[in-house]
Amino acid sequence: MKAAFYTLGCKVNQYETEYMSELLKNAGFEIVPPNENADYYIINSCTVTATADQKTRQNVRKFKRNHPDSTIILTGCMPQAFPEDAKSLIEADIVLSNKSDNDILALINEYQLSNKRIVSIEEHQKGDEFRECSINSFIERIRAFVKIEDGCDRFCSYCIIPKARGRVRSKPLEQLKKEIKTLADNGIKEIVLVGINLSAYGKGEDFDIVDAVNVCAEYENIIRIRLGSLEPDHITDDIIDRLSKIDKFCPQFHISLQSGCNKTLKNMNRHYTAEEYKELCDKIRSAFPDASLTTDVMVGFNEEAEDDFYNSLEFVKSIKFEKVHTFPYSERSGTAASKKGDNVPKHIKEKRASIMIEETEKIRNEYLKNLVGKTVEVLFESCADNDIYQGYTRGYLPVRMKSNEDIIGITRNVKITGYTDDFCIAE
């Protein structure tokens, strides 16, 4: 039997796809790319925006239309957050929630026996424990995402994720140790620790995110460790200090901002001010001279006036992020913000997004320009084209370089000679 996965969304979803893929492989399934013929197509959905839901529906219908005799399976965040919408998507033969990923094989077996549509959506409950899950390898082979945290307790006014993922829960350190050892033994060189609210890892426990990094650092074959997206108000002075003492830790910090305007931050129910965010950035750059800071910025949130937008823009420019992901606000039903309506017109959101992108790209280009002529350490991960290899700096900057030898999995000190919009060029 052949199975193919189509994954939408974040690094946690990518990890969970790898986990389900290994469950099926261990049961004798052959995993093939989604553009090949398969008996089962598994769509692992995202629901963070209305556009993500639309993509989920489109792909479920596309796979059923193109492969009418195959079994279509829908899982991920969309069924968890909007179970009725998922049930109504009749092209999906099996519908399960992200809480039930462990059950995918059992549900496939049940469907084979009954040939009747299955909808199995288990709700998240307060007090749920972290469901045991681990992987042995990763599709990228050199770098592996490892989920150590799930759920979120923040309830930002625009966000559906607490409904889609439940409350904060953390992978025990002993589970993590076993998983990292296996990955290290199987050739993984870099670990990226990920979670829905990663910086809340260890909440209510006797460990925290730095303990997780130290677990990874214990293994000789693991030469780099980095963190996924972080929330600013969870990064304490103690965490910064302890991370700065771990040689294998890559000081690349993606710290969610959302807005540089205090009025908008309050309306979003974010738990910090712009001033507190800047103070955190200053502390990180002081502790890590080669730190790379990236972020997400939303424009056009409810009641964001023109002055609010420009306040946010000036704040973002003042931080001088190495990269900014800009996106317009998208109303999600079921959130606190949706009760106020989406009162910033679409064309204004698009204009503000355009301005934010243009201004932050100027800063990124200046950053890349200043790198030319400098020597940086790159861990090469793949062959991009013939003898052109691609890897990443410790600050997660993509670099391509020509090499006559296979350098996948090897670090090299290289000289940056140029750059494009997508990567740096080195020799």
Side-chain angles (χ1 to χ4, degrees):
M1 304 291 279
K2 294 182 178 180
F5 285 84
Y6 187 87
T7 306
L8 295 158
C10 65
K11 292 179 175 67
V12 172
N13 266 18
Q14 294 175 52
Y15 173 92
E16 290 169 346
T17 287
E18 179 64 30
Y19 172 65
M20 289 185 285
S21 174
E22 291 188 11
L23 288 179
L24 296 189
K25 277 191 286 189
N26 291 338
F29 284 74
E30 179 186 353
I31 308 301
V32 299
N35 60 347
E36 293 187 12
N37 289 325
D39 302 290
Y40 295 88
Y41 290 92
I42 300 101
I43 294 88
N44 192 359
S45 64
C46 171
T47 196
V48 71
T49 64
T51 301
D53 281 352
Q54 182 182 14
K55 288 180 179 178
T56 293
R57 292 190 294 269
Q58 288 173 343
N59 278 285
V60 167
R61 290 166 179 155
K62 180 188 75 172
F63 282 113
K64 193 61 175 179
R65 183 174 62 249
N66 294 343
H67 307 277
D69 296 327
S70 299
T71 302
I72 309 301
I73 302 173
L74 172 61
T75 185
C77 290
M78 188 263 211
Q80 196 78 59
F82 301 105
E84 294 305 316
D85 291 348
K87 289 176 189 176
S88 68
L89 199 54
I90 59 173
E91 292 85 355
D93 302 297
I94 301 174
V95 179
L96 67 152
S97 56
N98 56 36
K99 187 176 180 179
S100 307
D101 284 342
N102 304 56
D103 302 328
I104 188 169
L105 186 58
L107 293 175
I108 287 175
N109 290 335
E110 181 183 339
Y111 182 79
Q112 286 176 334
L113 291 172
S114 68
N115 201 31
K116 293 181 180 178
R117 187 174 192 242
I118 297 173
V119 177
S120 176
I121 301 174
E122 184 183 359
E123 291 186 9
H124 290 295
Q125 303 292 334
K126 190 174 182 180
D128 279 346
E129 294 184 352
F130 189 92
R131 288 209 169 182
E132 186 170 353
C133 58
S134 62
I135 59 174
N136 297 309
S137 61
F138 208 80
I139 194 169
E140 293 180 78
R141 196 163 66 87
I142 298 302
R143 174 165 39 99
F145 302 143
V146 176
K147 184 178 87 168
I148 62 170
E149 186 275 342
D150 209 341
C152 186
D153 300 342
R154 298 179 64 83
F155 296 95
C156 298
S157 63
Y158 54 82
C159 188
I160 197 68
I161 293 304
K163 185 177 178 182
R165 284 286 178 172
R167 303 297 175 264
V168 168
R169 49 209 187 276
S170 304
K171 178 176 285 185
L173 291 177
E174 285 305 314
Q175 282 185 32
L176 180 61
K177 286 179 183 179
K178 293 176 183 177
E179 185 172 20
I180 299 301
K181 182 182 186 305
T182 300
L183 290 168
D185 290 343
N186 289 338
I188 295 296
K189 298 292 184 70
E190 180 176 308
I191 299 294
V192 185
L193 298 174
V194 299
I196 297 302
N197 183 359
L198 179 63
S199 38
Y201 178 74
K203 181 179 179 180
E205 308 284 354
D206 60 354
F207 51 80
D208 63 17
I209 190 70
V210 185
D211 295 315
V213 173
N214 275 317
V215 163
C216 300
E218 290 175 8
Y219 296 94
E220 184 179 353
N221 290 348
I222 303 299
I223 61 176
R224 284 183 176 180
I225 306 134
R226 62 177 83 244
L227 301 175
S229 182
L230 301 165
E231 291 294 330
D233 50 309
H234 286 163
I235 309 173
T236 63
D237 293 351
D238 176 65
I239 284 176
I240 293 172
D241 180 61
R242 288 159 62 207
L243 285 175
S244 71
K245 294 177 170 63
I246 304 173
D247 291 338
K248 293 182 179 181
F249 176 70
C250 294
Q252 175 237 337
F253 294 86
H254 186 89
I255 307 173
S256 182
L257 172 61
Q258 303 304 344
S259 177
C261 168
N262 284 332
K263 171 192 155 188
T264 304
L265 287 172
K266 185 175 181 180
N267 287 341
M268 289 177 167
N269 195 33
R270 301 292 283 171
H271 302 273
Y272 52 88
T273 64
E275 292 75 20
E276 288 167 342
Y277 188 99
K278 184 180 186 305
E279 183 181 2
L280 172 63
C281 293
D282 291 342
K283 288 177 180 178
I284 288 173
R285 283 177 167 151
S286 175
F288 301 93
D290 57 343
S292 170
L293 295 181
T294 61
T295 197
D296 305 302
V297 174
M298 184 190 299
V299 299
F301 185 65
N302 279 337
E303 301 174 3
E304 183 190 66
E306 196 81 357
D307 286 349
D308 300 330
F309 165 71
Y310 279 103
N311 284 342
S312 181
L313 175 64
E314 290 307 311
F315 179 81
V316 171
K317 287 166 63 177
S318 74
I319 301 295
K320 296 187 182 297
F321 293 102
E322 277 74 19
K323 190 172 185 178
V324 177
H325 172 226
T326 301
F327 57 101
Y329 168 61
S330 170
E331 182 182 334
R332 302 302 287 126
S333 62
T335 63
S338 67
K339 297 174 184 176
K340 296 184 177 181
D342 191 354
N343 53 27
V344 178
K346 182 180 178 182
H347 72 277
I348 292 180
K349 292 181 191 176
E350 291 174 348
K351 179 183 176 183
R352 291 177 185 175
S354 239
I355 293 170
M356 183 71 73
I357 290 169
E358 181 180 358
E359 292 300 314
T360 55
E361 280 299 306
K362 288 178 185 176
I363 294 169
R364 178 169 174 78
N365 284 335
E366 189 65 25
Y367 162 67
L368 295 174
K369 180 181 176 182
N370 290 335
L371 280 177
V372 174
K374 292 186 177 179
T375 299
V376 295
E377 180 193 89
V378 175
L379 171 59
F380 288 94
E381 297 185 0
S382 62
C383 188
D385 181 31
N386 293 327
D387 55 353
I388 304 297
Y389 288 82
Q390 177 162 308
Y392 290 84
T393 66
R394 287 171 57 84
Y396 203 56
L397 188 69
V399 175
R400 291 188 181 182
M401 184 180 78
K402 185 174 182 178
S403 175
N404 294 326
E405 61 174 318
D406 184 352
I407 53 175
I408 293 176
I410 295 173
T411 55
R412 286 278 188 270
N413 287 324
V414 303
K415 182 179 179 181
I416 302 297
T417 59
Y419 62 93
T420 71
D421 289 341
D422 299 316
F423 55 85
C424 285
I425 302 161
E427 64 181 20

